Amino acid sequence: MYRLIILLGLLFANTAFSFNADESGHNLVAIIMFVLFVGITLLITYWASKKTHTTKSFYTAGGNINGLQNGLAISGDFMSAASFLGISGLVYLSGFDGLIYSIGFLIGWPIILLLIAEPLRNLGKYSFSDVVSFRLKQKPIRILAACGSLSTIILYLIAQMVGAGKLIEILFGLPYYSAVIIVGGLMISYVTFGGMLATTWVQIIKAVLLLSGATVIAFLVLYQFQFNFDNFFSQAINAHSEGNKIMAPGGLISDPLSAISLGLALMFGTAGLPHILMRFFTVPDAIEARKSVVYATGFIGYFYILTFIIGFGAIVLISNNPEYLDGSGKLIGNNNMAAIHLSHAVGGDILLGFISAVAFATILAVVSGLTLAGASAISHDLYANAFLKGKNNEKMEMRVSKMSTIFLGILAVLLGIIFEDQNVAFMVGLAFAIAATTNFPILILSIYWKNLTTRGAVIGGSAGLFTVILLVILGPVVWVDIFNNTEAVFPYKYPALFSMTVTFFGIWFFSKNDRTKTALSEKKLFESQYFRSQTGIGIDEPSGH
């Protein structure tokens, strides 16, 4: 392990000092902070590797993370580069309407707090499929849960890897392929050697850096207007081509069905993301799980307020500044670079360097969490429980976990390279749609609906998963934008409203009409499951089925 750290350290040091800010135009501060962050996180990985010897320590950091730490780690896992750069870019482009994504994301957290966090911690062990399969048949349910998880994770990983490559290419001047390979190599190192403990601390450091950086930008923006919001927004209205329209909703999504469908995907997709749900097993009990959600909601809500200020600040300070515009009057890079350009406008090269390094750290933290959740789906759900039926050797499961991590890392790098020139924005939306369509309904019904059966969950969940993928392919984003057809077969960009309906109806119909002996026994186990989900009594005992 220490040899790997030295090798990677030399690689990044060589990368950093191969650039000269004066000659190449690249920000030396950004490069130094980039190398510093990598060095610190690799040292943390080395420390964590000494404490990661069992499946419990690998998947859940031994369950010893407290509520505040886990809340920071959850926010670090959730606040991706798409959130930081994408939402501030949307606000810069559309004004108030750009907040539709952040509001949708945020509303998912009370759902997690009130309905999911405590039962999840009391019923599960390493992943949300432990909860879903508590009283249902292990093999079919875990295979379905793993398919939903891996579909979500791989789509999310592709978007993050392409975003990472493009971002690092712009900020540091590295070739796209090199950037993707570096991110993949670091991701594999964090998860393979340090497991959840290293991943947690990478996410905590990233969350602190991101919140600090965004706070500084927002403070400096408001300082220029003496913290007078009337003056601030008035100047934004005058600077934007749409004028007063940027202060009203309805410009970004005017179709009611699309707005409802997007809202459902964001709200319930958040509550079905496997890498977020996995974090609730890192705390010692349900009380700390609830605390985690409260802290995470506070940090994430505060962060989205900052992106709102940053977006409007970019409208005022850089939308008409030739230094940040190309020849056609558009922002250099694209609208997603609004926060990066604004950091330079209010804080010069030093703040630009800091924010650039934070953007890189953001991507590393998110892909590490995604990879660990994917490795858990392969090793714990598929290998250990679906195929070996819980009779595996713990050391062998650890070995499969690490092999899965390497596999997912290499796959992410390859897919990141393959999709370099593709518009991958739809992949994040599809990932949330799959999580809302497949993962969330099965999880919430397994906790609260006594009539759920294996047959209903498998048929309904599979039908929903197939529907959401099919509708995205036939919709405007893929059928028109990628396949270059003139008109979409399915007219809506956001399919969650339709696919979630298919899932819930399928689960209800096939569960209610399941009269098999297995179904009756599964329904009888609900009372004992519900008692444990609310009290935590029997948490160390195996599942009821």
Side-chain angles (χ1 to χ4, degrees):
M1 176 62 196
Y2 72 89
R3 292 188 182 93
L4 176 64
I5 290 176
I6 293 172
L7 179 62
L8 288 171
L10 289 172
L11 171 64
F12 295 124
N14 181 65
T15 299
F17 294 109
S18 66
F19 293 111
N20 183 293
D22 296 329
E23 296 175 5
S24 66
H26 299 297
N27 192 309
L28 188 61
V29 175
I31 296 167
I32 292 172
M33 296 197 69
F34 157 62
V35 175
L36 185 62
F37 173 81
V38 168
I40 291 172
T41 51
L42 285 174
L43 287 174
I44 289 172
T45 303
Y46 176 70
W47 164 74
S49 68
K50 301 295 184 183
K51 299 176 177 292
T52 303
H53 303 294
T54 63
T55 51
K56 185 176 182 179
S57 60
F58 184 81
Y59 293 131
T60 67
N64 295 320
I65 306 298
N66 65 42
L68 174 60
Q69 291 170 340
N70 200 42
L72 272 171
I74 289 172
S75 59
D77 210 355
F78 189 74
M79 297 183 301
S80 65
S83 296
F84 178 46
L85 302 179
I87 292 176
S88 57
L90 270 179
V91 174
Y92 169 80
L93 182 66
S94 307
F96 175 84
D97 233 20
L99 284 178
I100 187 170
Y101 281 89
S102 55
I103 296 298
F105 289 142
L106 194 59
I107 290 176
W109 289 98
I111 295 170
I112 296 173
L113 173 63
L114 298 173
L115 298 177
I116 292 178
E118 184 174 351
L120 191 74
R121 179 62 187 86
N122 287 337
L123 291 172
K125 188 178 181 182
Y126 299 143
S127 68
F128 84 94
S129 60
D130 292 334
V131 179
V132 176
S133 61
F134 185 92
R135 60 189 172 96
L136 305 181
K137 288 184 179 179
Q138 295 278 324
K139 188 170 183 177
I141 288 296
R142 285 190 183 272
I143 290 174
L144 176 62
C147 288
S149 295
L150 289 171
S151 299
T152 304
I153 288 162
I154 290 172
L155 288 165
Y156 220 132
L157 268 178
I158 293 172
Q160 292 294 324
M161 295 300 285
V162 173
K166 294 296 184 184
L167 185 65
I168 296 170
E169 185 179 35
I170 293 170
L171 297 179
F172 302 112
L174 284 172
Y176 176 84
Y177 302 125
S178 300
V180 171
I181 291 169
I182 286 173
V183 172
L186 287 169
M187 171 180 75
I188 291 171
S189 300
Y190 295 151
V191 179
T192 303
F193 296 105
M196 179 59 85
L197 186 59
T199 301
T200 296
W201 282 101
V202 170
Q203 290 163 345
I204 289 172
I205 294 170
K206 167 263 174 127
V208 172
L209 291 174
L210 181 58
L211 290 170
S212 301
T215 299
V216 170
I217 296 176
F219 177 86
L220 292 175
V221 166
L222 293 176
Y223 178 77
Q224 300 204 25
F225 299 91
Q226 290 75 49
F227 299 92
N228 185 326
F229 283 93
D230 287 339
N231 183 29
F232 176 55
F233 289 120
S234 295
Q235 291 203 33
I237 290 170
N238 293 332
H240 202 281
S241 60
E242 296 293 325
N244 283 320
K245 290 182 179 179
I246 65 171
M247 300 305 295
L252 193 62
I253 300 175
S254 56
D255 173 49
L257 274 179
S258 294
I260 294 170
S261 195
L262 175 61
L264 289 173
L266 298 178
M267 285 188 295
F268 298 114
T270 299
L273 292 175
H275 61 297
I276 298 297
L277 296 175
M278 191 177 184
R279 291 229 53 91
F280 294 107
F281 303 111
T282 65
V283 292
D285 51 46
I287 294 174
E288 293 298 315
R290 289 197 300 271
K291 287 182 181 178
S292 299
V293 185
V294 172
Y295 283 123
T297 305
F299 291 134
I300 293 167
Y302 172 67
F303 169 73
Y304 285 138
I305 292 172
L306 296 178
T307 60
F308 184 67
I309 296 170
I310 290 169
F312 272 92
I315 293 173
V316 179
L317 298 174
I318 68 174
S319 63
N320 296 311
N321 189 332
E323 183 179 354
Y324 306 107
L325 305 176
D326 59 19
S328 63
K330 295 181 179 179
L331 210 59
I332 295 173
N334 53 38
N335 293 325
N336 291 332
M337 295 298 289
I340 301 295
H341 291 313
L342 181 64
S343 66
H344 183 265
V346 298
D349 287 344
I350 292 177
L351 185 57
L352 172 64
F354 177 73
I355 295 300
S356 300
V358 166
F360 174 77
T362 296
I363 292 168
L364 274 181
V366 174
V367 297
S368 297
L370 287 166
T371 306
L372 185 57
S376 170
I378 294 171
S379 59
H380 179 64
D381 296 332
L382 294 179
Y383 171 75
N385 287 286
F387 299 128
L388 295 185
K389 300 180 180 179
K391 299 177 182 178
N392 66 299
N393 181 284
E394 188 174 277
K395 289 184 178 180
M396 191 61 194
E397 185 177 340
M398 279 279 289
R399 187 178 301 171
V400 173
S401 296
K402 295 184 177 183
M403 291 169 60
S404 302
T405 300
I406 295 170
F407 167 76
L408 287 171
I410 294 172
L411 180 65
V413 169
L414 292 175
L415 292 174
I417 292 171
I418 291 170
F419 282 86
E420 175 187 2
D421 298 320
Q422 298 294 322
N423 176 11
V424 297
F426 78 95
M427 289 186 177
V428 174
L430 179 55
F432 271 84
I434 290 175
T437 299
T438 305
N439 299 345
F440 174 76
I442 296 174
L443 176 61
I444 200 74
L445 291 176
S446 71
I447 295 174
Y448 293 106
W449 191 43
K450 67 178 293 184
N451 292 317
L452 179 70
T453 67
T454 300
R455 179 183 295 178
V458 170
I459 296 176
S462 300
L465 180 61
F466 175 78
T467 301
V468 69
I469 294 173
L470 179 65
L471 293 182
V472 168
I473 292 172
L474 298 178
V477 177
V478 176
W479 196 255
V480 176
D481 296 347
I482 294 179
F483 292 165
N484 298 317
N485 293 297
T486 55
E487 189 176 346
V489 178
F490 177 73
Y492 301 103
K493 286 185 178 180
Y494 312 105
L497 174 62
F498 307 94
S499 57
M500 286 182 72
T501 302
V502 169
T503 301
F504 276 109
F505 177 79
I507 291 175
W508 170 81
F509 180 82
F510 288 102
S511 292
K512 289 292 286 185
N513 290 284
D514 190 351
R515 300 285 188 266
T516 62
K517 290 183 179 180
T518 302
L520 293 174
S521 67
E522 289 170 350
K523 294 173 183 178
K524 288 180 181 178
L525 285 170
F526 175 77
E527 296 300 331
S528 61
Q529 174 192 296
Y530 186 76
F531 177 76
R532 177 167 141 180
S533 73
Q534 299 302 309
T535 65
I537 296 174
I539 196 169
D540 295 322
E541 297 174 7
S543 63
H545 198 282

